[in-house]
Each structure stands twice: as C-alpha cells, then as structure tokens.
Amino acid sequence: MAGRQRLDQVDAMRPIKQVGVVSTHTIITFAPAGAAVLSNAALLLLHVSREVFFFISACMLTYAYTGLKRDGWRKFYWRRFVSVGVPYLCWNLIYFLWFPYVLHDATYTATPSMALAHFGHLLEVGYNQLYFLIVIMEFYLLFPLVLWLLRRTKGHHGLVLAAAVVAQLAMSIGMHWKLLPDVVVAYGQENAACYVLYLLGGAIVAFHLSDVHDWVVRNAPLVVFLTVASAVFAEAVYYLSREGFTHILGYGSDPFQPSVIPFNVSVIALGYLAGMYLVRPWRSRRTSWVRAAVRIGSDNAYGIYLAQMIFITSLGALGWKTFVDRAPFWVWLPLTVAIAYFGGILLTALLARTPLAVPLTGRKQEPWRTLLPRWVRGPEPAPALAPAPAGAPAGGPAEPGAARPVTPLEPAALAGTTTDQNGT
C-alpha cells in the first residue's frame, strides 16, 4: 500500500514544542523561590507542551495508519515497541544510573533492595518527562478501538469531538479538585484519560486534515486572537485566584484545570500556522537556512525530549543555581534552555550514527556522512493540496510539504512523518 506524504509543517511544530518542554523543566529546576509567583504564571502556559505533544502524536499516528488492516497490527505494535518502548526502558536506566554514578548525588543505591525498588518505580511512572511515553503507549493500546470508533461514526465526528470536550472538562475538574479516586489522582499525569481531548481530537483531525488545514489558514488572524485572549484569560484566573477572588475555574499552575483548556487548543492551531510559515517552500535562497534549521530541530526533537534532563541536571550539579540567583531571568532562562536544547540536538545527532541509534533515539542508524545537513539550494515551488496517493486510506488528502523517505524505525507518532499503512 502506498505511503502518505510527509507533513513538513507538522514536523516543524515539534522543535517549537520542545522549546516549551525544556523551558518548563528549566523553570522548575532553577527558578528562585522568591520568583514563585511569576514562575508559576509562566508554567501555567508552558504546560501546554504536553498537550501539543499528545495531539501531534495521535494525529500523525492516525494519519499514517488510518487504513491499517487486521493483518498489520503485529508489525504495528512491534514498531511501536522498538521506537518508543525500548527508548523508554533505556532512558529510565540511564537516569537511574546518572545520579549516583555520574553526578554522585543519590541515596537510593544505599542497598540493592532500595535500588531495585527505585528502578521499579521509575519504570512504573517514568523519570520526570518520560511519563509522556507512558501516555503514548496507552494510546497505542487503545488505537484499534479509536480507529473503530472513528470509522463507525464517519459523518458524525463533530459529536465525537464534543463528547471529548465534555470528557476533558470533567477529567480536568476531577483531577484539579481531587474529586476522583486517590489512585487516579496520584497517577493522573500518566493517565491517557486526562488528555482525551488532545488524543482523540488529534485522531479526528487526521481524518479531516485538508478541511482543518484550510480553516486554520483562512482564519489565521482569529487563531492568533484566540491564543492571546485565552492566555490572558488563563493568567487572569491565576492572579484572581491568588488574591482569593474565585477558585471556580482553577488556581495555581496545575495543568489540570478548566481555565487552560481554551489556551491549549488555540496554541495547537497557532503552532500549525507557525509550522506552515517555517517550512514554506517559496523562501528565498537567503532565508533557506530557516528550513535547514527546522529540519535539524525536527529530526532531533525526539532526542531533545529524551536527553534534556541530562544537561539540566548537569548544570545543577555544576553550581548553575548560583549563577541563576545572581543573573536576571532574561539572561539565565534563555541561556539554560539553549544549553539543554542544543546539547540535546548534538547528542541525538551523534547517537543516531552509532549502534545505539535504535535504543536511544528510536530510529535506525544513519551514516556519519549525513551528520551535516545538505543546504537548500534555492526556492522551490509551493505545491497545492493533492489528493491522497492511490491506495492510501481515507482521512483527507495529503498536506503540502516535500515528501521524503521515512526511516523505518522512526516513530510516526512522535516524528510527524508518514509511513506505509501496513507498518513497513
């Protein structure tokens, strides 16, 4: 079965999203206690990176595998295990060993039983940011059911999306005010049900990519306005709750609260517009470096996500907190983010060209000669929306953007790429 075209504009959303992820963990790690009010206000909006992550993952997985037949599920799940499950196991092990044996800062290795218990806990919930992969793996398990639902409700996806909005609102209320059972609240961030709107919404968008693309592009000013307005609204709720006026829509920087849902949805649409701008093929030779930079960031985005805490915790061990306490936030924040972000790019690019490429980057090994990207030689014509390739499943025509080969082990749900619907 023919593969589907690569969506470069969605690829371009990934490095943007990773800036948000790295910024979140940088603020959590280094923000001075005296700046807690402003830090929490920033975190309230930066937490959107997780929702964008889940939306892109669900959308691209559905886009690539809409037409998957029953005989292709075994290969599908094997590829998902190799590209997500194996890196999850390996990076939990890396972080487990990182603190006692590299940073010399851990007590959980005092006895073998303590070490084993701690490692078991890491596998259960994921080290720090790795819970993202737990949620994605849960979505993989439910993916056959999602496809069945969307196929059976063809023509009524608006009602399914409305139900997802109601479910997301209910989960946010239950999580934020701890109305759900204690075990659900305790494992909330690892629970795919807490992101139902973004996972199911991403799958629905994959069935209607052409229509969604046209609407977002046609209503670009409205998308920008709604993003700004929803951000102001979320921040207003935050500051009003701090002053004790009302807690009805949430309080604090908790990502599970009703006030941030409109902002999360708006940012996803705005991110798509930003991706369209960054990869537009009619750029001049002088600005072609933008496309090259986006391609590098996109190719290494998965690795940035996996490895970011190596750099952030290393900076902490080297006394970075002292620098943070003395420097203004507009100096230490972008500098710290840049170190972790570009460090992640470099480390991932190197690992992808070693025998450790599959377990540590989720994609097949690449030759060393590809380490430096080829420069874009000049402007390219802007392609029009085209119908889906012959034999491709229903789900909307392929979006504009240059198609390029997909590495067989690269996770479609994390890479924004397209693959053969049978998983080859």
Side-chain angles (χ1 to χ4, degrees), residues 342-416:
F342 291 108
I345 288 179
L346 178 60
L347 179 60
T348 304
L350 295 175
L351 289 174
R353 288 156 181 83
T354 71
L356 297 174
V358 172
L360 297 187
T361 70
R363 65 184 198 233
K364 73 173 184 178
Q365 184 177 351
E366 300 179 22
W368 283 100
R369 67 176 180 274
T370 64
L371 182 61
L372 297 178
R374 288 179 294 178
W375 195 255
V376 179
R377 294 186 177 278
E380 304 168 7
L385 284 174
E399 295 296 319
R404 64 185 176 94
V406 180
T407 52
L409 294 176
E410 188 172 9
L414 299 173

Coordinates of all heavy atoms in Angstrom, one line a residue, residues 342-416:
F342 N 20.2 22.7 22.5 CA 21.3 22.4 21.5 C 22.2 21.2 21.9 O 22.7 20.5 21.1 CB 22.1 23.7 21.2 CG 21.2 24.7 20.5 CD1 20.9 25.9 21.1 CD2 20.8 24.5 19.2 CE1 20.1 26.8 20.5 CE2 20.1 25.5 18.5 CZ 19.7 26.6 19.2
G343 N 22.3 21.1 23.3 CA 23.0 19.9 23.7 C 22.3 18.6 23.3 O 22.9 17.6 22.9
G344 N 21.0 18.7 23.5 CA 20.2 17.5 23.1 C 20.3 17.2 21.6 O 20.3 16.1 21.1
I345 N 20.3 18.3 20.8 CA 20.4 18.1 19.3 C 21.8 17.4 19.0 O 21.8 16.5 18.2 CB 20.3 19.5 18.6 CG1 18.9 20.0 18.6 CG2 20.8 19.4 17.2 CD1 18.7 21.3 17.9
L346 N 22.8 17.9 19.6 CA 24.2 17.4 19.3 C 24.3 15.9 19.8 O 24.7 15.1 19.0 CB 25.2 18.2 20.0 CG 26.7 17.7 19.8 CD1 27.1 17.7 18.4 CD2 27.6 18.6 20.6
L347 N 23.8 15.7 21.0 CA 23.9 14.3 21.5 C 23.0 13.3 20.6 O 23.5 12.2 20.3 CB 23.4 14.3 22.9 CG 23.4 12.9 23.6 CD1 24.8 12.3 23.6 CD2 22.8 13.0 25.0
T348 N 21.9 13.8 20.2 CA 21.0 12.9 19.4 C 21.6 12.7 18.1 O 21.6 11.5 17.6 CB 19.6 13.5 19.3 OG1 19.1 13.8 20.6 CG2 18.7 12.6 18.5
A349 N 22.1 13.7 17.5 CA 22.7 13.6 16.1 C 23.9 12.6 16.2 O 24.1 11.8 15.2 CB 23.2 14.9 15.6
L350 N 24.7 12.6 17.3 CA 25.8 11.7 17.4 C 25.3 10.2 17.6 O 25.8 9.3 17.0 CB 26.7 12.1 18.5 CG 27.4 13.5 18.3 CD1 28.2 13.9 19.5 CD2 28.4 13.4 17.0
L351 N 24.3 10.1 18.6 CA 23.8 8.8 18.9 C 23.2 8.1 17.7 O 23.2 6.9 17.5 CB 22.8 8.9 20.1 CG 23.4 9.2 21.4 CD1 22.3 9.4 22.4 CD2 24.4 8.1 21.9
A352 N 22.5 8.9 16.9 CA 21.8 8.4 15.7 C 22.8 7.8 14.7 O 22.3 7.1 13.8 CB 20.9 9.4 15.1
R353 N 24.0 8.0 14.8 CA 25.0 7.5 13.9 C 25.9 6.4 14.5 O 27.0 6.2 14.1 CB 25.8 8.6 13.3 CG 25.0 9.4 12.4 CD 25.4 10.9 12.2 NE 24.5 11.5 11.2 CZ 23.3 12.1 11.6 NH1 23.0 12.1 12.8 NH2 22.6 12.6 10.7
T354 N 25.4 5.8 15.6 CA 26.1 4.7 16.3 C 25.2 3.5 16.4 O 24.0 3.6 16.1 CB 26.5 5.2 17.7 OG1 25.3 5.3 18.5 CG2 27.2 6.5 17.7
P355 N 25.7 2.4 16.8 CA 24.9 1.2 17.0 C 23.8 1.4 18.1 O 22.9 0.6 18.2 CB 25.9 0.1 17.4 CG 27.2 0.5 16.8 CD 27.2 2.0 16.9
L356 N 23.9 2.5 18.9 CA 22.9 2.7 19.9 C 21.7 3.6 19.4 O 20.9 4.0 20.1 CB 23.5 3.5 21.1 CG 24.6 2.7 21.8 CD1 25.3 3.6 22.9 CD2 24.0 1.5 22.5
A357 N 21.7 3.8 18.1 CA 20.7 4.6 17.5 C 19.3 4.2 17.8 O 18.4 5.0 18.2 CB 20.9 4.7 16.0
V358 N 19.0 2.9 17.6 CA 17.6 2.4 17.8 C 17.2 2.5 19.3 O 16.2 3.1 19.6 CB 17.5 0.9 17.3 CG1 16.2 0.4 17.7 CG2 17.7 0.9 15.8
P359 N 18.0 2.0 20.3 CA 17.5 2.0 21.7 C 17.5 3.4 22.3 O 16.8 3.7 23.2 CB 18.5 1.1 22.4 CG 19.7 1.1 21.6 CD 19.2 1.2 20.2
L360 N 18.3 4.3 21.8 CA 18.5 5.7 22.4 C 17.8 6.8 21.6 O 17.6 7.9 22.1 CB 19.9 6.0 22.7 CG 20.7 5.0 23.6 CD1 22.0 5.6 23.9 CD2 19.8 4.8 24.9
T361 N 17.5 6.6 20.3 CA 16.8 7.6 19.5 C 15.6 7.1 18.9 O 14.8 7.9 18.3 CB 17.8 8.2 18.4 OG1 18.0 7.2 17.4 CG2 19.1 8.6 19.0
G362 N 15.3 5.8 18.9 CA 14.1 5.3 18.4 C 14.1 5.2 16.8 O 13.0 5.0 16.2
R363 N 15.2 5.4 16.2 CA 15.3 5.3 14.7 C 16.5 4.6 14.3 O 17.5 4.4 15.1 CB 15.2 6.7 14.1 CG 16.4 7.6 14.4 CD 16.2 9.0 13.8 NE 17.4 9.7 13.6 CZ 17.5 11.0 14.1 NH1 16.5 11.5 14.8 NH2 18.6 11.6 13.9
K364 N 16.6 4.1 13.1 CA 17.7 3.3 12.6 C 19.0 4.1 12.5 O 18.9 5.4 12.4 CB 17.4 2.7 11.3 CG 17.4 3.6 10.1 CD 17.2 2.9 8.8 CE 17.4 3.8 7.6 NZ 17.3 3.1 6.3
Q365 N 20.1 3.4 12.5 CA 21.4 4.1 12.5 C 21.6 4.8 11.1 O 21.2 4.3 10.1 CB 22.5 3.1 12.7 CG 23.9 3.7 12.7 CD 25.0 2.7 13.0 OE1 24.6 1.5 13.4 NE2 26.2 3.0 12.9
E366 N 22.1 6.0 11.2 CA 22.4 6.8 9.9 C 23.9 6.9 9.7 O 24.7 6.8 10.6 CB 21.8 8.2 10.1 CG 20.3 8.2 10.3 CD 19.7 9.6 10.4 OE1 20.4 10.5 9.9 OE2 18.7 9.7 11.0
P367 N 24.3 7.0 8.5 CA 25.7 7.1 8.2 C 26.3 8.4 8.7 O 25.6 9.5 8.7 CB 25.8 7.0 6.6 CG 24.4 7.4 6.2 CD 23.5 7.0 7.2
W368 N 27.6 8.4 9.0 CA 28.2 9.7 9.5 C 28.3 10.8 8.5 O 28.3 12.0 8.9 CB 29.6 9.3 10.0 CG 29.7 8.6 11.3 CD1 29.8 7.3 11.5 CD2 29.5 9.2 12.6 NE1 29.8 7.0 12.9 CE2 29.6 8.2 13.6 CE3 29.3 10.6 13.0 CZ2 29.5 8.4 14.9 CZ3 29.2 10.8 14.4 CH2 29.3 9.8 15.3
R369 N 28.2 10.4 7.2 CA 28.3 11.5 6.2 C 27.1 12.4 6.2 O 27.1 13.4 5.6 CB 28.5 10.9 4.8 CG 27.3 10.0 4.3 CD 27.6 9.5 2.9 NE 26.5 8.7 2.4 CZ 26.3 7.4 2.6 NH1 27.3 6.8 3.3 NH2 25.3 6.8 2.2
T370 N 26.0 11.9 6.9 CA 24.8 12.7 6.9 C 24.7 13.6 8.1 O 23.7 14.3 8.4 CB 23.5 11.8 6.9 OG1 23.6 11.0 8.1 CG2 23.5 10.9 5.7
L371 N 25.8 13.7 8.9 CA 25.8 14.5 10.1 C 25.5 15.9 9.9 O 24.8 16.6 10.6 CB 27.1 14.3 10.9 CG 27.2 15.0 12.2 CD1 26.2 14.6 13.2 CD2 28.6 14.8 12.8
L372 N 26.2 16.4 8.8 CA 26.0 17.8 8.4 C 24.9 17.9 7.3 O 25.0 17.2 6.3 CB 27.3 18.5 7.9 CG 28.4 18.6 8.9 CD1 29.7 19.2 8.2 CD2 28.0 19.4 10.1
P373 N 23.8 18.6 7.5 CA 22.7 18.6 6.6 C 23.2 19.3 5.3 O 24.0 20.2 5.2 CB 21.7 19.5 7.3 CG 22.4 20.4 8.2 CD 23.6 19.6 8.6
R374 N 22.6 18.8 4.2 CA 22.8 19.5 2.9 C 22.0 20.8 2.8 O 20.8 20.8 3.3 CB 22.3 18.5 1.7 CG 23.3 17.4 1.5 CD 22.8 16.5 0.4 NE 21.5 15.9 0.8 CZ 20.8 15.1 0.0 NH1 21.3 14.8 -1.2 NH2 19.7 14.5 0.4
W375 N 22.6 21.8 2.3 CA 22.0 23.1 2.2 C 20.9 23.2 1.2 O 21.0 22.6 0.1 CB 23.1 24.2 2.0 CG 22.6 25.6 2.3 CD1 22.2 26.5 1.4 CD2 22.4 26.1 3.6 NE1 21.9 27.7 2.1 CE2 22.0 27.4 3.4 CE3 22.6 25.6 4.9 CZ2 21.7 28.3 4.5 CZ3 22.4 26.5 5.9 CH2 21.9 27.8 5.7
V376 N 19.8 23.9 1.5 CA 18.8 24.1 0.5 C 19.3 25.0 -0.6 O 19.7 26.2 -0.3 CB 17.5 24.6 1.1 CG1 16.4 24.8 0.1 CG2 17.0 23.7 2.2
R377 N 19.3 24.6 -1.8 CA 20.0 25.4 -2.9 C 19.2 26.6 -3.3 O 19.7 27.6 -3.8 CB 20.3 24.5 -4.1 CG 21.3 23.5 -3.7 CD 21.7 22.7 -5.0 NE 22.7 21.7 -4.7 CZ 24.0 22.0 -4.6 NH1 24.4 23.2 -4.8 NH2 24.9 21.0 -4.3
G378 N 17.9 26.6 -3.2 CA 17.1 27.7 -3.7 C 15.6 27.5 -3.5 O 15.2 26.5 -2.9
P379 N 14.8 28.5 -3.8 CA 13.4 28.4 -3.6 C 12.8 27.3 -4.4 O 13.2 27.0 -5.5 CB 12.9 29.8 -4.0 CG 13.9 30.3 -5.0 CD 15.2 29.8 -4.5
E380 N 11.7 26.7 -3.9 CA 11.0 25.6 -4.5 C 9.6 26.1 -4.8 O 9.1 26.9 -4.0 CB 11.0 24.3 -3.7 CG 12.4 23.9 -3.3 CD 12.3 22.8 -2.2 OE1 11.2 22.4 -1.9 OE2 13.4 22.4 -1.7
P381 N 8.9 25.6 -5.8 CA 7.5 26.0 -6.0 C 6.6 25.5 -4.9 O 6.9 24.4 -4.3 CB 7.2 25.3 -7.3 CG 8.1 24.1 -7.4 CD 9.4 24.6 -6.8
A382 N 5.6 26.2 -4.5 CA 4.7 25.9 -3.5 C 3.7 24.9 -4.0 O 2.9 25.2 -4.9 CB 4.0 27.1 -2.9
P383 N 3.7 23.6 -3.5 CA 2.8 22.6 -4.0 C 1.4 22.9 -3.5 O 1.1 23.4 -2.4 CB 3.3 21.3 -3.5 CG 4.0 21.7 -2.2 CD 4.6 23.1 -2.5
A384 N 0.4 22.5 -4.3 CA -1.0 22.6 -3.9 C -1.4 21.4 -3.2 O -0.8 20.4 -3.3 CB -1.9 22.8 -5.2
L385 N -2.5 21.5 -2.5 CA -3.1 20.3 -1.8 C -3.4 19.3 -2.9 O -4.0 19.6 -3.9 CB -4.3 20.7 -1.0 CG -4.1 21.4 0.3 CD1 -5.5 21.8 0.8 CD2 -3.4 20.5 1.3
A386 N -3.0 18.1 -2.6 CA -3.2 17.0 -3.6 C -4.0 15.9 -2.9 O -4.0 15.7 -1.7 CB -1.8 16.4 -4.0
P387 N -4.7 15.1 -3.7 CA -5.5 14.0 -3.2 C -4.5 13.0 -2.6 O -3.4 12.9 -3.0 CB -6.3 13.5 -4.4 CG -5.5 13.9 -5.6 CD -4.8 15.2 -5.2
A388 N -5.1 12.1 -1.7 CA -4.3 11.1 -1.1 C -3.8 10.1 -2.2 O -4.4 9.9 -3.2 CB -5.1 10.3 -0.1
P389 N -2.5 9.6 -2.0 CA -2.0 8.7 -3.0 C -2.9 7.5 -3.3 O -3.7 7.1 -2.4 CB -0.7 8.2 -2.4 CG -0.4 9.3 -1.4 CD -1.7 9.8 -0.9
A390 N -2.8 6.9 -4.5 CA -3.6 5.8 -4.8 C -3.4 4.7 -3.8 O -2.2 4.3 -3.5 CB -3.3 5.3 -6.2
G391 N -4.5 4.2 -3.3 CA -4.3 3.1 -2.3 C -4.2 3.5 -0.9 O -4.2 2.7 0.0
A392 N -4.1 4.8 -0.7 CA -4.0 5.3 0.7 C -5.4 5.3 1.3 O -6.4 5.4 0.7 CB -3.4 6.8 0.7
P393 N -5.4 5.2 2.7 CA -6.7 5.1 3.3 C -7.4 6.4 3.4 O -6.9 7.5 3.1 CB -6.3 4.7 4.8 CG -5.0 5.3 4.9 CD -4.3 5.2 3.6
A394 N -8.7 6.4 3.7 CA -9.5 7.6 3.9 C -8.9 8.4 5.0 O -8.4 7.8 6.0 CB -11.0 7.3 4.1
G395 N -9.1 9.7 5.0 CA -8.6 10.5 6.1 C -8.2 11.9 5.6 O -7.5 12.6 6.3
G396 N -8.5 12.2 4.4 CA -8.2 13.6 3.9 C -7.0 13.5 3.1 O -6.1 12.7 3.2
P397 N -6.8 14.4 2.1 CA -5.7 14.5 1.2 C -4.4 14.8 1.9 O -4.4 15.4 3.0 CB -6.1 15.5 0.2 CG -7.1 16.4 0.9 CD -7.8 15.5 1.9
A398 N -3.3 14.5 1.3 CA -2.0 14.8 1.9 C -1.9 16.3 1.9 O -2.3 17.0 1.0 CB -0.9 14.2 1.0
E399 N -1.2 16.8 2.9 CA -1.0 18.3 3.1 C 0.3 18.7 2.3 O 1.1 17.9 1.9 CB -0.8 18.6 4.5 CG -2.0 18.3 5.4 CD -3.1 19.2 5.0 OE1 -2.9 20.4 4.7 OE2 -4.3 18.8 4.9
P400 N 0.4 20.0 2.0 CA 1.6 20.4 1.2 C 2.8 20.2 2.0 O 2.8 20.3 3.3 CB 1.3 21.9 1.0 CG 0.3 22.3 2.1 CD -0.5 21.1 2.3
G401 N 3.9 20.1 1.4 CA 5.2 19.9 2.0 C 5.9 18.8 1.3 O 5.4 17.9 0.7
A402 N 7.2 18.9 1.2 CA 8.0 18.0 0.4 C 8.1 16.6 1.1 O 8.4 16.5 2.3 CB 9.5 18.5 0.3
A403 N 7.7 15.6 0.3 CA 7.8 14.3 0.9 C 9.2 13.8 0.9 O 10.0 14.1 0.0 CB 6.9 13.3 0.0
R404 N 9.6 13.1 1.9 CA 11.0 12.5 1.9 C 10.9 11.1 2.6 O 10.0 10.9 3.3 CB 12.0 13.4 2.6 CG 11.7 13.7 4.1 CD 12.7 14.7 4.5 NE 12.5 15.1 5.9 CZ 13.1 14.6 6.9 NH1 13.9 13.6 6.8 NH2 12.9 15.0 8.2
P405 N 11.9 10.3 2.4 CA 11.8 8.9 2.9 C 11.7 9.0 4.4 O 12.3 9.8 5.1 CB 13.1 8.3 2.4 CG 13.5 9.1 1.2 CD 13.1 10.5 1.5
V406 N 11.1 8.0 5.0 CA 11.0 7.8 6.4 C 11.8 6.7 6.9 O 11.8 5.6 6.3 CB 9.5 7.5 6.8 CG1 9.4 7.4 8.3 CG2 8.6 8.6 6.3
T407 N 12.6 7.0 7.9 CA 13.5 5.9 8.4 C 12.6 4.8 9.1 O 11.7 5.2 9.8 CB 14.5 6.4 9.5 OG1 13.7 7.2 10.4 CG2 15.5 7.3 8.9
P408 N 12.8 3.6 8.7 CA 11.8 2.5 9.1 C 11.5 2.4 10.6 O 10.5 2.0 11.0 CB 12.5 1.2 8.6 CG 13.4 1.7 7.5 CD 13.8 3.0 7.9
L409 N 12.5 2.9 11.5 CA 12.3 2.7 12.9 C 11.9 4.0 13.6 O 11.7 4.1 14.8 CB 13.5 2.2 13.6 CG 13.9 0.7 13.2 CD1 15.2 0.3 13.8 CD2 12.8 -0.2 13.5
E410 N 11.7 5.1 12.8 CA 11.4 6.4 13.4 C 9.9 6.3 13.8 O 9.1 6.0 13.0 CB 11.6 7.5 12.4 CG 11.5 8.9 13.0 CD 11.9 10.0 12.1 OE1 12.2 9.7 10.9 OE2 12.0 11.1 12.5
P411 N 9.6 6.7 15.0 CA 8.2 6.6 15.5 C 7.3 7.6 14.8 O 7.5 8.8 15.0 CB 8.2 6.9 17.0 CG 9.5 7.7 17.1 CD 10.4 7.2 16.1
A412 N 6.3 7.2 14.0 CA 5.5 8.1 13.3 C 4.7 9.0 14.2 O 4.5 10.2 14.0 CB 4.5 7.3 12.4
A413 N 4.3 8.5 15.4 CA 3.5 9.3 16.3 C 4.3 10.3 17.0 O 3.8 11.3 17.5 CB 3.0 8.3 17.4
L414 N 5.7 10.2 16.9 CA 6.5 11.2 17.6 C 7.2 12.1 16.5 O 7.7 13.1 16.8 CB 7.5 10.6 18.5 CG 6.9 9.8 19.6 CD1 8.0 9.0 20.4 CD2 6.2 10.7 20.6
A415 N 7.3 11.6 15.3 CA 8.1 12.2 14.3 C 7.3 13.1 13.4 O 7.9 13.9 12.6 CB 8.9 11.2 13.5
G416 N 6.0 13.0 13.3 CA 5.3 13.8 12.4 C 5.5 13.4 11.0 O 5.3 14.1 10.0

